[in-house]
Amino acid sequence: MVWFLGLGITGVVLLALSLVFDGLLEGAFGGAPAGVLEGWLSLPVVAGFTAMTGFGGAIALGTGLAGPAGAAGVGAVAGMGAGWLTYRFSRALMRDRTDVAPSTADLLGTSGKVVTAIPADGFGEVLLRLAGQPLKCAARSAEPVARGAEVWVEAVPTGTSVVVRPVER
């Protein structure tokens, strides 16, 4: 029983280490044919296999389901299942793509509200929305724009300033 529990705890420790040393085993078998071992010898897969082999064997031995040899077999089957699931989940997470991060160029053509009046050919401030988040920018306009007026962004010269025009309704 102690051996199985030790193996299970070792697997959990390996899993914790995989958070710090991710990719440690990935290059260890560079001589293998391309793609054969890819992902299967990652630290999370080895840790999942080791932990479930130990804990599965301990459960089988502790419940009296099997003797030491049978418990080792049950643990190995449970470990292979956990390793396979870890591999599949990690591959699914690796394929997950995120949207492109918004940039200040996405402000072009958006509307906003003036929070500090904009004098003619001077600077004021506008409140815009970028990806649903409020963004306060310095703003210039060819004509004066009063506080609270709605404006359209015509240009984005820098990451913190915009050129606007009042919305005509």
Side-chain angles (χ1 to χ4, degrees):
M1 176 73 80
V2 172
W3 287 101
F4 288 120
L5 290 176
L7 197 57
I9 291 170
T10 300
V12 170
V13 169
L14 278 175
L15 189 57
L17 288 175
S18 74
L19 295 173
V20 177
F21 299 112
D22 186 36
L24 182 68
L25 295 178
E26 296 293 330
F29 299 96
V36 172
L37 297 176
E38 186 177 332
W40 285 106
L41 289 177
S42 66
L43 206 48
V45 171
V46 171
F49 172 79
T50 305
M52 277 310 293
T53 299
F55 292 136
I59 290 170
L61 189 62
T63 59
L65 225 69
V74 167
V77 169
M80 284 188 281
W84 182 79
L85 284 174
T86 304
Y87 172 76
R88 297 297 295 170
F89 285 142
S90 66
R91 300 314 285 170
L93 289 173
M94 294 292 228
R95 284 191 307 268
D96 188 27
R97 301 287 180 229
T98 60
D99 290 334
V100 176
S103 68
T104 53
D106 295 331
L107 290 173
L108 195 60
T110 61
S111 66
K113 293 266 185 205
V114 176
V115 292
T116 303
I118 305 170
D121 294 322
F123 281 96
E125 291 179 318
V126 294
L127 185 62
L128 306 167
R129 294 231 174 247
L130 180 62
Q133 298 297 313
L135 178 65
K136 192 169 160 184
C137 292
R140 286 184 302 144
S141 178
E143 57 188 86
V145 183
R147 181 175 182 256
E150 186 176 359
V151 291
W152 288 101
V153 177
E154 290 185 323
V156 185
T158 69
T160 58
S161 69
V162 293
V163 176
V164 298
R165 69 173 172 79
V167 172
E168 303 287 331
R169 291 201 187 235

